[in-house]
Amino acid sequence: MNRITFTAPILLLTSALPTTAVAEDVVVTATRYETPITQTLSAVTVLTEEDLKRYQDDDLGTLLSRLAGVGLVNSGSLGATSNVLLRGTSSSQVLVLIDGVPSVSASTGQTSFSSIPLSNIERIEVVRGPVSSLYGANGIGGVIQVFTKSPAKANDDVYVTGSYGSNNFRRVGAGFQFSTDKTRAAADIFYTGTDGFDSTTLTSDSNKDADGFSQYAGNLSVDTRLSDDLLLGINHIQSSSKAHYDSVCYTGFTATEIDWQTQTELVNSSLSLDYDLSGTTRFSTRIGRYVDDSVNSDGDDSANDTQFKTTGYTANALAERNLGDVTAILGLDVDSVELESTTNYDENERLNTGIFTSLATYVGDFGLQGSLRFDNNSAYDTYTTGTLGASYLVNDSLELIGSAGTAFRAPSFNELYFPGYGDENVEPEESRSVELALRQFTVGGEWRLSAYRIDTTNLIGSDPNTVTATNINEARIHGLELDVTQQFGAFDLAVNSTLTDARDADDERLNNRPEWTLFAALGYDYGQWRFNTDLQTESGRKNGAVALGDYAILGLGSRISLNDSSTLSARVDNVLDEDYVTNYDSSSDSYYNTPGRSFKLSAKYHF
């Protein structure tokens, strides 16, 4: 069945994927195997290398906040903690992968987004909606998969690059790639540093200073064809970051304000083997290792340092079979996690085994996709999740999609075992989701209108009487997203907008979920020049009884290719110097600051 359609009317009101993805794009995150984007029923956003060049963002959280259904809760200057929310779910309810391997702290259950270097990223795929039936724990809101830079076919290259901007921001890097008949390799190394700005509104002398950030990062990617049917791949990314931040500590009833710093080491490695048994049968396996090592320090006495080091090992195998219009997969995941810490946890390791299967078929104008997964975990026993979706082509270009699924979030080591807080009886959070969508692919773009509901039970919080972790709450999220992207000659337009109503069991709004967001970007190519402008706005964000205010941020950028070897680019963010916040700390009655007007100049030279 031909699912690539002709030019159709574009809904000019709101929403789009901030990418130039077209109907021929192939994605892997939505199904765990290579699938044309036209044959995935999930809401998928693809961010390409061109998008990274367009927005010139300094951190992953800021880039992701430009997408439909994505919220960002920032805690100050570059390198500060960032929580990324998908469809109103919490950061710990979102699964993050790097080249197929998880990136998560076992202690908090969250991902250190500031430690994942944008400079070493080539592509990002974001799937919104329940994904536990394919990936297991923490897939309530969706999955974000980062793909590191990989070698291009038959394109040897050596380059250097550098950037300078506001707050003494500087970034320098170099990389290379080469290819032979059977082997391709690419490597990059970068240094990023900034003096930063004051992260909070805390007014003591120790917290009035700027909070700087520095990071060294590198990646290596190699793939070699051992035979016509057998491909071996190696991916490795590593970063070492140091971020300063403001904080208030309490000794008894006395508040002591300290200028803290966090040293974070992130390592993510994988070895994969893909075997094409025939034209209809494929087998792939991957082993991986991930490390999230965080040390909090007052910068003075190492005896006060606290360390939380997660080390995980993963192994998975997947068989894919294509029989006419039917595609079936069967997979196995094994994930072992260990936590080392200066805190004495009651338990410091756990093992998870997951078995999953998926089936997709198209008959005439109808499509059907379903997946089922069984997980067994040494900490919380067993769990079963499933997803079912169906589609119908209303005409040659308009598709109606309906889906429903269950998902869960595993309790973190803090919630299970932290001394004085954890409780081994805490159970996983559970969710049920339904979605109804209209979608249309066009010659120059696509649009999708999605309405969804997520009901989550067993939400983990603190017992008001014992101040220990417990399953204490429920949440209900209603959302409406409209995504549009379209090419008009030399112009390309991307718009996305999201309406979110996220409430707990008492009908109180959940913290840090804006009620409405809008992002619009317009690009124009003129000869060797590329011009970009974008607008990001939101309203209705609250934290408890504190309204954080509405805002609109304007960005401008340009890029010129001087020749085949040299590229210059410039970017101005928050052109109107909007004063806004996305986070508030009720314990210290302080706000987390955000960047004012800022600029950046960059250059890249290929030898």
Side-chain angles (χ1 to χ4, degrees):
M1 179 177 62
N2 182 12
R3 301 173 66 83
I4 299 175
T5 60
F6 302 98
T7 303
I10 298 299
L11 301 178
L12 294 181
L13 271 177
T14 77
S15 213
L17 306 167
T19 176
T20 54
V22 294
E24 291 80 2
D25 270 3
V26 173
V27 297
V28 298
T29 309
T31 57
R32 294 197 63 161
Y33 60 91
E34 291 189 353
T35 309
I37 199 169
T38 54
Q39 295 184 13
T40 63
L41 302 188
S42 302
V44 183
T45 298
V46 180
L47 285 168
T48 66
E49 194 171 15
E50 174 58 33
D51 294 310
L52 272 68
K53 293 177 182 177
R54 172 188 299 185
Y55 302 121
Q56 301 181 49
D57 290 316
D58 300 327
D59 66 287
L60 179 58
T62 300
L63 176 65
L64 292 172
S65 71
R66 302 178 185 276
L67 307 185
V70 180
L72 177 65
V73 183
N74 213 334
S75 299
S77 188
L78 184 63
T81 300
S82 296
N83 290 327
V84 174
L85 320 179
L86 280 187
R87 288 189 165 178
T89 62
S90 69
S91 186
S92 58
Q93 294 172 334
V94 177
L95 177 65
V96 179
L97 305 172
I98 301 178
D99 295 321
V101 177
S103 180
V104 63
S105 166
S107 58
T108 65
Q110 298 182 353
T111 297
S112 176
F113 284 94
S114 61
S115 298
I116 303 176
L118 268 184
S119 52
N120 301 92
I121 294 175
E122 178 177 274
R123 177 183 174 93
I124 302 170
E125 293 179 7
V126 179
V127 179
R128 302 183 298 281
V131 294
S132 286
S133 60
L134 287 176
Y135 292 98
N138 307 336
I140 292 178
V143 57
I144 299 168
Q145 179 154 207
V146 170
F147 297 90
T148 56
K149 290 184 177 179
S150 59
K153 295 180 180 179
N155 184 20
D156 294 348
D157 184 30
V158 177
Y159 76 89
V160 294
T161 184
S163 302
Y164 184 80
S166 299
N167 301 317
N168 195 27
F169 175 88
R170 62 269 185 204
R171 174 178 289 155
V172 293
F176 72 88
Q177 66 176 34
F178 74 89
S179 60
T180 65
D181 290 341
K182 295 185 177 181
T183 302
R184 299 181 298 168
D188 301 86
I189 186 168
F190 280 83
Y191 165 77
T192 301
T194 179
D195 294 346
F197 54 85
D198 192 3
S199 290
T200 69
T201 57
L202 293 171
T203 57
S204 72
D205 291 339
S206 61
N207 283 322
K208 288 182 178 179
D209 62 332
D211 296 301
F213 174 74
S214 61
Q215 181 183 78
Y216 293 91
N219 75 281
L220 171 68
S221 176
V222 179
D223 62 63
T224 183
R225 189 157 291 282
L226 303 179
S227 68
D228 290 342
D229 303 322
L230 194 60
L231 181 66
L232 175 69
I234 299 173
N235 293 94
H236 177 82
I237 185 171
Q238 185 167 346
S239 71
S240 176
S241 310
K242 181 182 289 187
H244 294 261
Y245 65 95
D246 296 340
S247 181
V248 174
C249 294
Y250 287 89
T251 305
F253 294 98
T254 303
T256 304
E257 297 180 354
I258 302 173
D259 183 18
W260 287 91
Q261 58 184 326
T262 299
Q263 178 79 35
T264 304
E265 305 288 334
L266 180 143
V267 181
N268 197 287
S269 308
S270 64
L271 176 69
S272 62
L273 194 64
D274 298 316
Y275 183 34
D276 192 346
L277 296 173
S278 67
T280 60
T281 305
R282 299 176 181 85
F283 179 79
S284 62
T285 183
R286 181 187 301 269
I287 57 175
R289 176 178 181 265
Y290 60 97
V291 176
D292 183 308
D293 186 5
S294 178
V295 178
N296 294 308
S297 170
D298 61 7
D300 185 21
D301 185 359
S302 60
N304 296 326
D305 293 355
T306 58
Q307 181 180 24
F308 300 88
K309 181 180 180 180
T310 299
T311 303
Y313 296 91
T314 66
N316 62 65
L318 186 146
E320 175 192 352
R321 177 79 168 174
N322 296 305
L323 296 173
D325 292 329
V326 180
T327 300
I329 65 168
L330 179 65
L332 170 69
D333 290 331
V334 179
D335 189 359
S336 173
V337 179
E338 181 180 2
L339 177 63
E340 301 175 61
S341 176
T342 51
T343 299
N344 186 23
Y345 285 76
D346 293 336
E347 296 284 345
N348 64 352
E349 59 184 11
R350 67 185 180 192
L351 175 69
N352 190 89
T353 303
I355 302 173
F356 61 95
T357 185
S358 174
L359 183 72
T361 183
Y362 293 96
V363 179
D365 294 333
F366 293 91
L368 183 68
Q369 293 182 9
S371 55
L372 184 68
R373 180 177 174 115
F374 175 83
D375 283 278
N376 182 66
N377 193 284
S378 58
Y380 50 83
D381 204 15
T382 61
Y383 211 85
T384 302
T385 51
T387 301
L388 182 63
S391 66
Y392 173 68
L393 279 175
V394 179
N395 55 40
D396 287 342
S397 62
L398 185 63
E399 188 174 20
L400 176 65
I401 299 171
S403 63
T406 59
F408 73 104
R409 176 180 86 83
S412 68
F413 277 60
N414 284 355
E415 293 160 338
L416 288 171
Y417 311 121
F418 194 90
Y421 175 73
D423 185 342
E424 294 185 10
N425 296 316
V426 170
E427 299 178 354
E429 299 176 349
E430 306 174 11
S431 76
R432 300 183 306 275
S433 302
V434 292
E435 179 174 353
L436 187 64
L438 282 172
R439 178 175 70 177
Q440 187 174 46
F441 290 99
T442 71
V443 171
E446 65 176 288
W447 63 265
R448 179 182 177 119
L449 175 65
S450 302
Y452 57 88
R453 173 170 175 152
I454 305 171
D455 289 283
T456 308
T457 58
N458 286 343
L459 282 176
I460 302 171
S462 296
D463 188 304
N465 298 315
T466 63
V467 199
T468 57
T470 186
N471 299 101
I472 200 171
N473 211 339
E474 299 179 0
R476 183 265 302 149
I477 302 172
H478 287 133
L480 186 67
E481 299 169 351
L482 179 60
D483 302 340
V484 182
T485 181
Q486 185 65 37
Q487 188 87 27
F488 302 97
F491 291 91
D492 55 84
L493 174 68
V495 185
N496 71 65
S497 185
T498 305
L499 294 172
T500 305
D501 182 26
R503 298 180 181 272
D504 63 17
D506 296 324
D507 203 35
E508 296 292 333
R509 286 185 44 207
L510 300 182
N511 289 341
N512 288 315
R513 276 74 167 180
E515 292 181 308
W516 176 75
T517 64
L518 169 69
F519 178 81
L522 180 66
Y524 175 64
D525 291 303
Y526 180 76
Q528 296 175 307
W529 285 90
R530 168 76 179 181
F531 299 97
N532 303 293
T533 182
D534 51 77
L535 177 68
Q536 186 171 5
T537 183
E538 72 167 45
S539 64
R541 186 190 292 251
K542 297 180 66 177
N543 192 314
V546 178
L548 300 186
D550 308 337
Y551 67 84
I553 306 171
L554 177 66
L556 299 173
S558 64
R559 185 172 76 245
I560 181 173
S561 299
L562 300 177
N563 48 50
D564 293 338
S565 302
S566 304
T567 303
L568 299 177
S569 58
R571 172 81 183 181
V572 180
D573 283 300
N574 197 359
V575 175
L576 304 179
D577 201 22
E578 180 86 353
D579 185 13
Y580 68 102
V581 294
T582 64
N583 199 0
Y584 168 76
D585 183 8
S586 59
S587 64
S588 62
D589 191 26
S590 62
Y591 294 88
Y592 290 94
N593 294 319
T594 54
R597 183 187 300 113
S598 58
F599 76 93
K600 182 165 57 180
L601 302 174
S602 303
K604 189 173 185 179
Y605 180 76
H606 298 267
F607 292 94

